[in-house]
Amino acid sequence: MDRRQQKTRHAVFDAFAHLLERKSYTNITVQDIIDEANIGRSTFYSHFETKDELLKALCSEIFNHVFAQEVFKEKTHDFSKTGNNNIKAEITHILYHLQESSRYIKRILSCESGEMFMRYFKERLTQVFEGELEKQKSDIPTEYMLNHMVCDFAETVRWWMNNERYSPEDISEFFFSTTPFK
Amino acid sequence: MDRRQQKTRHAVFDAFAHLLERKSYTNITVQDIIDEANIGRSTFYSHFETKDELLKALCSEIFNHVFAQEVFKEKTHDFSKTGNNNIKAEITHILYHLQESSRYIKRILSCESGEMFMRYFKERLTQVFEGELEKQKSDIPTEYMLNHMVCDFAETVRWWMNNERYSPEDISEFFFSTTPFK
DNA sequence: ACATTACCGAACGGAATGTACATTTATGAT
DNA sequence: ATCATAAATGTACATTCCGTTCGGTAATGT
C-alpha cells in the first residue's frame, strides 16, 4: 500500500480519536475531521464514504488486534480436549488485548459511537461463544443463552472501561462469577 | 392541556412510530414526520426541539406505563418482609407491561433509536434493582453487579422483542435462570 | 526518469435544519 | 354567543453540512 495512503489513514484515525475527546460523535462533522487531520476534503472521501464507515474501519482495526492470533488458532484446534479452563484463558487474553487499545475504546464508548462499537463487538463475540455454548446443557433456549453471554461480556467490558482500576484477571473473575458456564 | 396540543402530540408520536416501520431513525427527517403527521413545520418545532427530544418524550411515555402503579407502590412498602419472590413477581409484572407496548418498542428497537431506548430503559431499571441488590452478599463489587443485572435484563427484553413467541413467564424464567439472585 | 497514483482545495448543487412572521383557526372562560 | 388567548399554519430565509467534481500539484516506486 502506498505510503501516502497509510499516512492519510492514520492521520484520520488519530484526528477522529482526538476529536472524540472534545465532541460527541454526532457533533463531529466530516469537516472537523478533515481540519484536524490536515488533509484535503476530497482525500477524506476517497478513503471513507461516510463518517460511519470511518468508525467501522476503526473498529475493525481494533478488533483485528483484540481477537488476533493465537486465540483463533487455539479455537480451530481441538478445544474440547483441554477442558473448560481454556474459555477462561481465552477471555482473559482478550481482556488484555482490550486493555492495550483502551485509549481508543474509551473514547469511542464515551458517546453514541459506542453503540456501533458494541454492535460490532457483539458480532465478533458471537463467533467466540458460539462453539463454546454447544457443550452446555440446559432447558433454556440456546439462542437466549448465546445472546446472554455475548451481551454480558460486552457490557462487562463497557463497564470496565469506566472502572479501569481493575485488572484483566479481576474482570475475568467478575464475569465468570455471574456466568452459568460449567 | 389544550385539546389541539394533545392532538398534535399524538399525531406526531403516531407518525413517528409508523415511519419507523419503513425507515431507520437516522433516515427519518423532521420533514418526514411533519408530512406523515400532517402538521405545519413550525408546529412541530413548538412541541419538540429536536428529533431526539421527540424520541425521548415517546420513551418517557412508554416507561411511565411500563413502570407504573403498583410496582412502585410495592417498592415503597416494606419489600424485604415478603422475601425475594417479590422481585420475580415485579419483573414478570414489568414484562407484561412491556408486552402491551411491544408494538412501539419493537419499532424503536429496530434501529439506532433502540440504543437511546436502551439507555433510558437502563436508567429506570437501575432504580428498580438498586434496592434489591443491597440484600445480596458477594465478593464482587456492588457496582459491577448492579450494572450486570440492569444490562442483563435490558438485553433480555431486547432479545424478547425479536422472539415474541415466548410469554412473560417464560422470559422471567430465562432471566432468573442465569441470574445470581438468591 | 517516468508513468502512476494520491493529494489538494475551491466551487457547486442539494438536502435538511431551525427560525421568523404574518395569517388563520380552534379553544374555553365569561 | 362573544371574545381574548393561544395554537396551528405555511411560506420564506439564512445556515450548515454533505458529497461530488475537476484541474492542477506533489509524492511514489519501479
Side-chain angles (χ1 to χ4, degrees), chain A residues 18-65:
Chain A
H18 276 88
L19 284 166
L20 278 172
E21 271 187 338
R22 283 173 262 151
K23 289 186 175 189
S24 77
Y25 182 70
T26 326
N27 292 326
I28 294 173
T29 69
V30 173
Q31 192 59 53
D32 287 337
I33 301 168
I34 287 165
D35 292 342
E36 181 79 21
N38 196 28
I39 59 169
R41 185 163 187 73
S42 41
T43 305
F44 176 89
Y45 281 106
S46 75
H47 279 257
F48 307 98
E49 292 205 340
T50 64
K51 201 174 55 168
D52 282 7
E53 285 299 315
L54 163 59
L55 176 58
K56 203 169 179 172
L58 180 53
C59 288
S60 291
E61 203 111 316
I62 291 171
F63 293 140
N64 284 341
H65 169 242

Side-chain angles (χ1 to χ4, degrees), chain B residues 63-165:
Chain B
F63 292 139
N64 284 341
H65 169 243
V66 168
F67 294 100
Q69 306 154 7
E70 320 88 319
V71 182
F72 279 135
K73 269 192 211 152
E74 286 172 358
K75 249 194 92 62
T76 54
H77 288 171
D78 192 0
F79 211 91
S80 51
K81 250 186 204 162
T82 42
N84 285 304
N85 284 341
N86 262 20
I87 181 68
K88 193 160 183 175
E90 190 176 354
I91 287 292
T92 309
H93 189 179
I94 290 173
L95 288 169
Y96 267 102
H97 281 256
L98 284 163
Q99 197 175 40
E100 286 161 16
S101 303
S102 69
R103 271 184 60 90
Y104 270 118
I105 298 175
K106 278 179 75 169
R107 289 176 193 170
I108 295 174
L109 281 178
S110 71
C111 57
E112 319 90 66
S113 50
E115 311 302 343
M116 303 207 202
F117 177 92
M118 292 291 280
R119 192 159 52 245
Y120 305 138
F121 191 30
K122 286 179 188 173
E123 281 172 19
R124 299 289 204 120
L125 287 174
T126 301
Q127 297 168 11
V128 174
F129 285 123
E130 232 162 19
E132 197 56 30
L133 213 71
E134 288 168 9
K135 295 183 254 161
Q136 309 292 326
K137 276 202 174 183
S138 158
D139 37 354
I140 307 298
T142 312
E143 319 105 73
Y144 179 86
M145 284 304 292
L146 182 57
N147 180 69
H148 171 74
M149 297 302 305
V150 166
C151 292
D152 191 359
F153 185 69
E155 294 292 350
T156 293
V157 170
R158 170 145 66 178
W159 181 84
W160 185 31
M161 290 293 144
N162 289 319
N163 296 272
E164 276 210 294
R165 59 183 172 281

Side-chain angles (χ1 to χ4, degrees), chain A residues 90-108:
Chain A
E90 189 175 355
I91 287 293
T92 309
H93 189 178
I94 290 173
L95 287 169
Y96 267 102
H97 281 254
L98 284 163
Q99 197 176 39
E100 286 161 15
S101 303
S102 69
R103 273 185 59 91
Y104 270 118
I105 298 175
K106 278 178 77 169
R107 290 175 192 172
I108 295 174

